[in-house]
Amino acid sequence: MQNSDIKNNFEEEESDFNLKGFLFGYLRYWYIYALALIISFSCAYFYNWYSKPVYAISTKILIKDDKSTSVGTQELLKDLDVYNVSKNVDDEIAVLKSRKILKQTLLKLEVDVLYFLIGNVKKSQVYTNSPFKIECDSLNFYAYNNLFFIKIINENKFELMFNIEQTNESYKKEHSFGEKIHLTAGTFVLNKRAHFDELLFNDESYQKRNFRIKFNHINNNILFYKAKLNIVQPSSNSSVIALNVEDQVPQRGIDFLNTLVQVYLKNDILEKNKIASSTAVFIQNQLETISSELKSIENQRQDFKISKGITDVSSESEMVLNYVNIKDKELSNFNLKLSFINYLQEYVKENNSIADIAPSSLGVDDPLLISLISKITDLEIEKQQIELEKKGENPSLASVNQRIEYVRKKILQNIESIKDGLITSKEETKRALAVLEGELRSIPKTERQLVSIEREYRVKESLYLYLLQKEAETSLALAASVSDNRIIEEATSLPYPIRPIPNKSYSLAFLLSLLLPTGFLFIKEQLNDTVRDLKTIERTTKIPILGIVGLSKEKSTLVVSENPKSLIAESFRSIRTNLKYFSSDFEQKVILITSSVGSEGKTYTSINLSSIIAASGKKTVLLGLDLRKPKIVGDFNISNDKGISSFLIGTETIDQITQKSVVENLDIIPSGPIPPNPSELIMNKKMDELIELLKKQYDTIIIDSPPIGLVTDALLLNKYADSLIFVVRQNVTKKDHLSSVDKLYKEEKLINASVLFNAAKSGGIGYGYGYGYGYGHGYYDESEKKNLFNRIFKKS
């Protein structure tokens, strides 16, 4: 085939598409769409009513950047596109979703017990709006795996019911509010809340008194809220994060987010205070020791002065004492630093967190030590991040641990070096002090003893004052400590639920009410292998179409004779006219009517076509040559005792088997008794004799033959026919059967064949066939009252 031919065929197929017919083809099933619309809208209404509404709750907090890097360094890293705020934000998101923070949060909320108000159809959560509160002393496995039911009887009593599946224990008993209940599932108390309305529950007609109780274990709650909590960073250039949860009870979601943020901020402050707290512990221990020693020396000095009658030392001794005091302070500072260095050394050796130590707070300001502690602090934060995100063995975690151990060894080496330096400086101070002590020996003995006591007192006093100053500084740091992070927006809930959304549900219901029936009908049509309309006939076969007969609602088969002005009668008149174009000689005409299988209207067509031809004045005879399954005798109410089979076996003559009908000019020759060999009888020479005799007596011979798709009788009778009418019934005749007949037609085994489309509904006629194929201009009595809707369908 040439490209032009293909293009022409394609354009022809495209032009055959009838949008109007396509749409009305589906609109024929309007009742299915109406039913689908009712069902879908009912389901949407029930879904909107029954589904528990879910609300979206959100809050926002600001995560400030790390201050460990100097401002200049941060600016430099930003210029190099290395500095990334989100790294810190990601760490804080992991902290917010950690078990530690969630556990502290949930322990502050009433989520360990869920309260459900039981209605006639559905249950609803009431959270803290329940009229009572359960306070648990102890619960065991059974409590968390079974449901409990509470029915409030009056202001003082309630009924407790439950079934423990594991032990098949059933319980139903009345208790009083405030009574401690001891059960196998645990021990708890039901206390009335402040908003418990005694008047309502004392009223027997009040219905809202039945509740279902569910106990939740803290571990299950942590997992549940961890999965439900959604934390996002709205912008990569911002350190603001949004915390979102969805909850059936808006207030519970608000309480959860607000409490979570408060716990997070409090923990952030505690983390910042770890260094100051650790230093405060060391200072407090030193103060307790020195305070005790200072009191002892003060008492000794007072006693010595009283016993010796001395009020104070001389000016010369005072000057020497001042020099000695300066060196004593230096020696005390070295001792304090050595004490702290020893404390730090033991602390590191025990593998404690070095991030909790600040050497500079006690004057140990070695740059290398501070740098190493800063480095190991970063590594420990990195380790915590990995442990929060991933569980089990992890190569990254092993690498971090190795680096921490390496830096820890470096810190110990540096501490040892600092310690050696302090010991050297201490020894130098001791030598200088020894010189001053030599000068003190020249002082009189009694005064020298007082100077010695005074010297020790001043050393301890100086150290005590120094530690008091450090303690005050540390306390001030603890008191003034605030979180760098802050709340931007308090937790709020949307005023409307995010699901179900009524408008969305109804829109979806409407869409489904269109799509589902359309899909069903489309699949049904695709699976339908029967002839549905004229276009199907035209695509399947090249046999010309003789006409169309609409679907008759009449109970009688004799439609043409009983209702000559009907639409059906007019259709057969058009067919009678069209038959002239299938034969040049209509005076002596034999018309063979057949179909592919039974129930396609072959006999119906034979009866009414013969009646309409007889009504035109033509002497017509109808032959019932379906010898296997005769039908026309029942329609004309005639006897089948003798007929064509009788003639073919030679027992009767034509006159004896011919019967008059109620239609003028129409005679009937029934099939007669059913023979055992119909095909052999038709092949008998008597059949030739019968046709020839009838041609001499009648103008038109109509043969009602057996279905051509089931037996060979129709093909045997085809040689007698001047025209063959193949009856195709809408939604009954198979496309394959029509294709088989088309094959016979192409092989020229069927003479002057044509197709009659029978029992066609208006939707299957096809556009443009109204006048040419059966619905012409004739005057007929319409059985339906035509309105605008009917006219549209008729034209489609």
Side-chain angles (χ1 to χ4, degrees), residues 239 591 620:
S239 56
I591 302 173
T620 307

Side-chain angles (χ1 to χ4, degrees), residues 401 456 500:
N401 285 330
E456 186 176 3

Side-chain angles (χ1 to χ4, degrees), residues 261-515:
V261 172
Q262 293 299 332
V263 169
Y264 164 72
L265 295 178
K266 183 178 179 181
N267 275 270
D268 186 46
I269 295 173
L270 291 175
E271 287 294 326
K272 291 183 65 177
N273 288 343
K274 273 187 177 181
I275 296 174
S277 299
S278 179
T279 305
V281 170
F282 175 79
I283 293 174
Q284 187 64 37
N285 293 335
Q286 295 293 319
L287 275 174
E288 290 176 1
T289 303
I290 295 173
S291 176
S292 177
E293 293 175 354
L294 186 61
K295 286 180 182 179
S296 176
I297 296 172
E298 186 177 7
N299 292 333
Q300 182 183 354
R301 184 183 67 167
Q302 189 68 24
D303 292 342
F304 183 83
K305 285 182 178 181
I306 293 172
S307 63
K308 300 297 183 179
I310 301 176
T311 58
D312 209 344
V313 297
S314 63
S315 58
E316 183 181 353
S317 299
E318 181 69 28
M319 184 179 64
V320 175
L321 183 61
N322 286 337
Y323 285 125
V324 172
N325 190 40
I326 291 172
K327 292 299 178 181
D328 282 337
K329 284 184 180 179
E330 292 179 5
L331 187 63
S332 296
N333 285 334
F334 287 131
N335 286 331
L336 181 62
K337 290 180 180 180
L338 281 170
S339 177
F340 182 72
I341 284 295
N342 289 330
Y343 169 76
L344 180 60
Q345 189 175 35
E346 293 300 320
Y347 193 87
V348 174
K349 286 181 178 179
E350 292 174 1
N351 290 326
N352 289 312
S353 176
I354 303 172
D356 299 343
I357 296 298
S360 58
S361 62
L362 288 175
V364 182
D365 51 1
D366 183 78
L368 180 58
L369 178 61
I370 294 173
S371 174
L372 289 172
I373 290 178
S374 176
K375 187 173 182 180
I376 201 170
T377 300
D378 293 338
L379 289 172
E380 287 182 351
I381 292 173
E382 184 180 349
K383 178 182 176 180
Q384 291 176 4
Q385 176 68 18
I386 295 172
E387 289 175 341
L388 285 172
E389 294 179 350
K390 302 175 182 178
K391 296 180 179 179
E393 297 183 0
N394 191 330
S396 301
L397 186 61
S399 174
V400 171
N401 285 330
Q402 289 177 358
R403 285 186 283 164
I404 289 174
E405 190 59 32
Y406 175 77
V407 177
R408 191 183 294 274
K409 290 179 180 178
K410 287 289 185 181
I411 290 174
L412 288 172
Q413 292 175 4
N414 183 253
I415 288 174
E416 195 64 39
S417 176
I418 294 172
K419 186 177 179 181
D420 292 340
L422 288 173
I423 291 173
T424 302
S425 299
K426 178 182 176 181
E427 291 301 323
E428 290 178 358
T429 303
K430 278 184 176 182
R431 286 193 291 272
L433 189 59
V435 175
L436 293 173
E437 287 176 347
E439 295 180 11
L440 286 175
R441 292 190 188 98
S442 62
I443 300 174
K445 181 179 179 180
T446 302
E447 190 174 354
R448 187 170 66 246
Q449 288 176 341
L450 179 59
V451 168
S452 178
I453 295 172
E454 188 70 27
R455 172 190 170 191
E456 186 176 3
Y457 175 79
R458 291 186 182 184
V459 169
K460 296 296 183 183
E461 183 185 41
S462 175
L463 183 58
Y464 182 75
L465 292 174
Y466 174 78
L467 289 174
L468 280 178
Q469 180 186 354
K470 290 298 180 181
E471 183 185 41
E473 292 174 357
T474 304
S475 299
L476 183 62
L478 286 171
S481 179
V482 294
S483 175
D484 290 332
N485 309 319
R486 58 190 172 93
I487 303 172
I488 294 180
E489 292 181 5
E490 293 284 347
T492 55
S493 171
L494 291 177
Y496 49 85
I498 57 172
R499 60 178 183 273
I501 302 175
N503 291 339
K504 186 176 180 180
S505 301
Y506 288 123
S507 299
L508 181 61
F510 178 73
L511 185 62
L512 290 176
S513 67
L514 295 178
L515 293 179

Side-chain angles (χ1 to χ4, degrees), residues 479-636:
S481 179
V482 294
S483 175
D484 290 332
N485 309 319
R486 58 190 172 93
I487 303 172
I488 294 180
E489 292 181 5
E490 293 284 347
T492 55
S493 171
L494 291 177
Y496 49 85
I498 57 172
R499 60 178 183 273
I501 302 175
N503 291 339
K504 186 176 180 180
S505 301
Y506 288 123
S507 299
L508 181 61
F510 178 73
L511 185 62
L512 290 176
S513 67
L514 295 178
L515 293 179
L516 292 179
T518 302
F520 168 76
L521 293 173
F522 177 78
I523 294 173
K524 176 178 173 290
E525 291 296 319
Q526 293 301 312
L527 296 177
N528 185 5
D529 61 346
T530 61
V531 175
R532 289 171 289 175
D533 49 33
L534 280 174
K535 292 190 180 297
T536 304
I537 298 175
E538 293 173 344
R539 286 194 297 266
T540 308
T541 180
K542 296 300 181 181
I543 302 175
I545 299 174
L546 178 65
I548 301 170
V549 176
L551 178 65
S552 174
K553 296 182 180 179
E554 303 289 340
K555 294 182 179 180
S556 174
T557 306
L558 304 175
V559 179
V560 170
S561 60
E562 294 179 358
N563 193 1
K565 292 186 178 181
S566 67
L567 195 148
I568 299 296
E570 185 65 23
S571 300
F572 278 103
R573 289 189 182 95
S574 296
I575 292 170
R576 181 186 61 190
T577 302
N578 292 338
L579 276 170
K580 295 179 182 180
Y581 298 99
F582 289 86
S583 176
S584 60
D585 183 10
F586 191 69
E587 297 302 325
Q588 297 288 336
K589 192 167 184 108
V590 179
I591 302 173
L592 179 67
I593 300 177
T594 186
S595 64
S596 58
V597 293
S599 303
E600 292 176 315
K602 170 180 58 63
T603 302
Y604 172 83
T605 302
S606 301
I607 291 172
N608 286 284
L609 182 61
S610 59
S611 297
I612 203 70
I613 292 175
S616 67
K618 301 290 184 179
K619 193 174 181 181
T620 307
V621 61
L622 174 59
L623 305 184
L625 270 169
D626 191 350
L627 302 181
R628 291 175 174 82
K629 194 176 180 180
K631 287 185 178 180
I632 59 175
V633 291
D635 296 316
F636 283 100

